[in-house]
Amino acid sequence: MTNGKTVLEPVIPAVSKSNGDYYGKDGLLYCGKCHTPKEAFFANNLVLMGKNRHPVDCRCRKMEREQQEVAIRQQKHSELVRRLKAGGFSDTAMLDWNFENDDGRAPQMHYAHRYVEQWQTMRAENLGPLLWGGVGTGKSFLAGCIANALMEQEVPVRMTNFARIMNELNNSFSGRNAVVDRLCRYPLLIIDDFGMERGTEYALEQVYNIVDSRYRSQKPLIVTTNLTLDEIRHPQDTAHARIYDRILEMCVPISCIGASLRKENAQKKLESMKSLIG
């Protein structure tokens, strides 16, 4: 008590001798490891609850906290990507269709890299490639690389084919519209092996509904097909014509013509087996 006034003295917290912490000449507690303050004075000489200082993180504690935050963000990212891929692929083999597994033999692969790099523009302009060519030329692998890369960036992608879509439609308790709406919620839809759905009028109508819904919702579509570009541009009937017209409005044709990688791989396996069994 001084002149009738109560003077609040700074409270010095206890020091843990085991970790080497110490008080500096300024009266603040310092970390014995990184030698930076673990306390700071309140601004404007403020005193609260009898204290004129408050705890702060020293340099090594800041680094530790940042590393923990990075680890938590990475864990959350990994879990989100895992969920996206679990719901985005209709076949677990597609998980291996990524740029890391590219053997460099597909000359069109640079289109896939560019598509991923320019994804925001592709999405804004509602653009996707129409990958056409013979069986085994790497079209599906190329599309899968795009899907995997975008999902790694936390972009929801669905890669499927119309056989599976038709199964979903036939087995859906919530109705056709619910299936179509769900497919249209994905920022990117990839339809693999397009052109294999030659069938009933009902099936073709569902194909058109899905493609048209993507078109109207201004969301990009990627299509792979074994059809030739001439077959796509000059279909034999009206039902296919309106489907292909919509696709050509949304997708840029990219030729995937070349030797069948599947046949080459099969031949290598055959030759390897022959050499093993003499």
Side-chain angles (χ1 to χ4, degrees):
M1 182 80 70
T2 303
N3 296 328
K5 296 182 179 180
T6 300
V7 177
L8 297 175
E9 297 293 338
V11 177
I12 307 297
V15 181
S16 174
K17 300 297 183 182
S18 61
N19 59 16
D21 290 353
Y22 61 91
Y23 285 101
K25 293 180 180 180
D26 55 6
L28 295 175
L29 181 65
Y30 280 71
C31 174
K33 182 179 179 181
C34 66
H35 307 292
T36 58
K38 299 180 78 171
E39 294 179 326
F41 291 113
F42 287 119
N44 302 319
N45 297 317
L46 183 66
V47 177
L48 295 174
M49 303 295 291
K51 298 181 181 181
N52 66 344
R53 65 196 68 193
H54 60 89
V56 296
D57 285 340
C58 62
R59 183 184 299 123
C60 60
R61 176 57 184 149
K62 285 181 181 177
M63 292 178 62
E64 180 183 347
R65 188 186 300 277
E66 289 172 358
Q67 290 171 353
Q68 290 174 345
E69 291 173 352
V70 168
I72 291 172
R73 286 197 299 271
Q74 183 59 45
Q75 183 178 6
K76 289 182 178 179
H77 168 74
S78 298
E79 177 58 24
L80 175 56
V81 171
R82 186 196 66 77
R83 292 199 307 270
L84 288 177
K85 292 187 177 183
F89 289 129
S90 55
D91 187 340
T92 56
M94 296 174 177
L95 294 170
D96 294 326
W97 295 355
N98 52 55
F99 291 132
E100 291 75 15
N101 291 330
D102 176 30
D103 60 9
R105 297 176 62 190
Q108 299 83 8
M109 189 56 71
H110 72 279
Y111 289 114
H113 284 280
R114 288 290 293 165
Y115 191 85
V116 173
E117 292 166 4
Q118 300 296 323
W119 163 245
Q120 293 303 331
T121 301
M122 298 296 104
R123 182 175 186 175
E125 297 186 7
N126 189 26
L127 290 174
L130 166 60
L131 306 171
W132 65 276
V135 175
T137 52
K139 302 180 299 297
S140 298
F141 179 79
L142 191 152
C145 287
I146 292 174
N148 270 297
L150 287 178
M151 283 191 273
E152 289 289 346
Q153 297 179 17
E154 302 184 2
V155 177
V157 179
R158 175 64 173 169
M159 183 170 178
T160 186
N161 58 47
F162 272 109
R164 289 187 172 89
I165 291 174
M166 291 307 299
N167 285 336
E168 291 182 46
L169 288 167
N170 293 331
N171 297 328
S172 174
F173 293 103
S174 51
R176 183 199 70 185
N177 290 339
V179 174
V180 174
D181 290 345
R182 179 169 53 78
L183 289 173
C184 282
R185 283 199 295 268
Y186 286 93
L188 177 64
L189 176 65
I190 300 174
I191 301 177
D192 196 27
D193 284 335
F194 189 85
M196 304 302 289
E197 71 289 339
R198 302 177 187 277
T200 67
E201 181 178 341
Y202 171 79
L204 292 175
E205 184 65 26
Q206 304 319 308
V207 172
Y208 177 78
N209 285 337
I210 291 167
V211 174
D212 187 60
S213 294
R214 295 294 299 184
Y215 176 81
R216 294 183 182 279
S217 63
Q218 292 292 297
K219 290 182 178 178
L221 173 70
I222 293 178
V223 174
T224 76
T225 181
N226 297 331
L227 298 172
T228 67
L229 192 56
D230 186 65
E231 288 175 314
I232 296 170
R233 287 175 171 165
H234 305 97
Q236 298 298 315
D237 55 69
T238 303
H240 285 87
R242 67 176 189 151
I243 296 171
Y244 297 164
D245 283 348
R246 269 287 184 259
I247 289 176
L248 289 172
E249 285 185 75
M250 302 172 65
C251 302
V252 178
I254 295 177
S255 171
C256 297
I257 298 175
S260 172
L261 302 181
R262 294 181 194 173
K263 289 182 179 179
E264 289 187 9
N265 289 335
Q267 184 62 32
K268 287 180 181 178
K269 289 180 180 179
L270 178 60
E271 292 174 356
S272 176
M273 184 181 70
K274 287 180 177 179
S275 65
L276 290 173
I277 63 177

